[in-house]
Amino acid sequence: MAFIPYGRQDISPADIKAVTEALCSDYLTQGPAISAFEEAVSSYCGVNHAIAVNSATSALHIACMAVGLGKEDIAWTTPNSFVASANCILYCGAQVDFVDILADGINMCPDALAAKLKEAKAANKLPKVVIPVHMSGHSAQMDRIAELADEYGFHIIEDASHAIGSSFKGKKVGCCQYSDITVFSFHPVKIITSAEGGMATTNNPDLAEKMARLRSHGITRDTALMTEESHGAWYYQQLDLGLNYRMTDLHASLGLSQMTRLDEFVMLRHDLAKRYDELINHKAIIKPEQASDTYSSWHLYILQIDHDMIALDKKALFKYFHDASIGVNLHYIPIHLQPYYENLGFKKGDFPNAEQYYRKAISIPLFAQLTLSEQDKVIDVLMTAIEE
Ligand SMILES: *Cc1c(COP(=O)(O)O)cnc(C)c1O
């Protein structure tokens, strides 16, 4: 049996046809596929605006810029995420801090957030932005975080890189009921892919317009926004210091084609996750759970293993899987323990729940095309490793 990765894309003949057609069209970039992809995502999520960019990292950056995050400001995210969730804050010159995850969970803890906000208010150091992450597709407790946003007046940007196809309390993640902006990633290991790509959704027309401008150098051709009368048909104005974060039509046509299978991908992931739930049973293992008011995209299937209860330590367990041609992974090394962040003053012990979780977590293969016999092999290898 070939190597089984922890995650991978599912590319159909229709996807290949869509990209080939875009390649043969008049537009390789800034053509009709971009707005078609944006429209597909916004109508899927039930949100007014969607802005496609070349990665979720770019989307997080322009989202932070759009809500006005700057040098004098502070923003918070969770330490249990990919570094991009925090880097976007630093790109804006703002100060970054973290809110620990739930003691028995994977997402930002609303009680820890409430406590930290109370302290921050007393110290006059409230954050301008909070970035919750929907870890592995399981939505954070957005209603509680939004209540705190009302009380303390911060913006919410949801990092939903894992969570297209997920729901919270019956509504799609990305609808922005509880946030200013939601960001998706279309990296190949995520739920749907555009090879590289990301998107920001919002119901706020001003934020939408601002992000659309920021993805393309801060330039506008809309005469209504110009500071003086247009000089002519060639004229444009740069209003902000933007970037080139545009998605190409090749990428957008792949993303658009993949959107037609999003629900199918998520259903397949649910079936596989359910099968793992049924077939993995051991006292040293805690299995991931979908909270009752959420529907997960099941981007990742993360076990928490108590290594004190088994013979193999984490390195040995990873080696055991790799020797059996199974690509396990770990999501995530706490961001504050990265050397770059330690140089900013963070240290071990700052966010104990995320650190404790890091000692236990392991992501085993989960993707739409994982076959049952591949899944059986993963379970087999896991169980033998645990019994070693
Ligand atoms: C993948 C990921 C990102 C970055 O996505 P890119 O599209 O690769 O830039 C950001 N945040 C989280 C939580 C991610 O998993």
Side-chain angles (χ1 to χ4, degrees):
M1 210 183 278
F3 182 79
I4 307 169
Y6 83 90
R8 65 159 289 152
Q9 70 278 13
D10 177 338
I11 301 296
S12 70
D15 294 338
I16 294 167
K17 185 159 172 276
V19 177
T20 313
E21 279 171 9
L23 191 54
C24 298
S25 76
D26 291 336
Y27 297 94
L28 296 187
T29 191
Q30 292 181 282
I34 303 292
S35 44
F37 186 25
E38 290 172 339
E39 168 58 31
V41 172
S42 59
S43 64
Y44 180 88
C45 294
V47 69
N48 291 341
H49 309 278
I51 291 90
V53 286
N54 58 1
S55 72
T57 305
S58 301
L60 286 166
H61 185 191
I62 60 170
C64 287
M65 289 173 79
V67 298
L69 190 68
K71 281 189 176 52
E72 309 300 318
D73 300 320
I74 300 167
W76 297 350
T77 186
T78 155
N80 186 29
S81 186
F82 185 55
V83 291
S85 310
N87 287 346
C88 58
I89 295 164
L90 299 178
Y91 295 157
C92 294
Q95 206 183 319
V96 65
D97 203 350
F98 301 92
V99 180
D100 207 353
I101 60 172
L102 293 151
D104 56 353
I106 51 178
N107 284 324
M108 182 181 284
C109 172
D111 291 336
L113 175 61
K116 197 176 173 89
L117 285 164
K118 204 169 169 193
E119 276 178 32
K121 186 170 184 182
N124 204 17
K125 283 186 160 182
L126 281 171
K128 184 166 194 167
V129 181
V130 172
I131 307 176
V133 177
H134 305 311
M135 184 63 189
S136 70
H138 303 284
S139 176
Q141 291 169 34
M142 290 311 300
D143 48 353
R144 291 211 45 211
I145 296 172
E147 274 170 28
L148 292 166
D150 283 344
E151 189 180 343
Y152 290 94
F154 55 83
H155 294 284
I156 299 176
I157 298 172
E158 298 173 66
D159 183 345
S161 290
H162 299 180
I164 194 161
S166 299
S167 303
F168 178 69
K169 300 209 160 170
K171 287 200 175 155
K172 293 279 186 228
V173 168
C175 74
C176 296
Q177 183 184 351
Y178 298 106
S179 64
D180 298 276
I181 297 169
T182 302
V183 166
F184 295 122
S185 171
F186 309 123
H187 181 278
V189 297
K190 308 285 163 77
I191 310 298
I192 62 162
T193 189
S194 62
E196 292 278 4
M199 206 173 286
T201 63
T202 183
N203 287 314
N204 180 323
D206 296 331
L207 291 177
E209 187 202 295
K210 190 126 201 213
M211 289 192 286
R213 201 156 70 226
L214 288 168
R215 81 173 153 187
S216 198
H217 308 281
I219 280 170
T220 187
R221 289 181 182 275
D222 181 351
T223 51
L225 298 173
M226 289 182 183
T227 56
E228 59 175 303
E229 201 179 317
S230 171
H231 298 182
W234 67 88
Y235 194 62
Y236 57 82
Q237 280 193 339
Q238 182 187 337
L239 302 177
D240 312 285
L241 185 59
L243 303 117
N244 180 355
Y245 279 170
R246 293 188 300 260
M247 180 180 273
T248 74
D249 271 47
L250 303 186
H251 295 89
S253 55
L254 177 55
L256 178 62
S257 177
Q258 290 250 307
M259 274 304 285
T260 61
R261 290 190 293 151
L262 170 56
D263 285 337
E264 181 197 326
F265 288 160
V266 173
M267 261 177 338
L268 289 166
R269 286 171 176 274
H270 267 258
D271 292 346
L272 291 162
K274 190 155 167 274
R275 203 157 170 272
Y276 272 143
D277 289 343
E278 286 162 6
L279 297 175
I280 297 174
N281 284 297
H282 193 280
K283 58 185 188 313
I285 299 179
I286 300 174
K287 289 176 280 190
E289 264 178 54
Q290 182 179 267
S292 59
D293 49 3
T294 67
Y295 180 75
S296 179
S297 63
W298 281 106
H299 167 49
L300 299 167
Y301 194 87
I302 303 173
L303 300 172
Q304 293 185 56
I305 299 181
D306 185 346
H307 287 276
D308 294 339
M309 293 171 70
I310 65 169
L312 299 181
D313 67 8
K314 187 150 212 144
K315 273 188 189 164
L317 182 62
F318 265 62
K319 183 167 183 326
Y320 200 95
F321 273 112
H322 280 276
D323 288 348
S325 292
I326 294 170
V328 289
N329 210 326
L330 206 166
H331 304 89
Y332 286 99
I333 307 156
I335 300 173
H336 69 286
L337 299 183
Q338 295 291 350
Y340 188 88
Y341 282 85
E342 287 186 331
N343 283 337
L344 298 177
F346 296 102
K347 58 186 188 312
K348 239 188 208 117
D350 282 351
F351 304 100
N353 293 345
E355 294 170 29
Q356 171 66 9
Y357 163 87
Y358 172 57
R359 285 191 276 279
K360 295 184 170 182
I362 181 169
S363 305
I364 59 175
L366 181 62
F367 49 92
Q369 275 194 332
L370 183 70
T371 65
L372 297 188
S373 62
E374 285 174 328
Q375 189 181 31
D376 286 341
K377 181 181 167 184
V378 174
I379 296 164
D380 248 23
V381 171
L382 170 69
M383 286 324 201
T384 349
I386 298 281
E387 305 294 338
E388 278 277 292

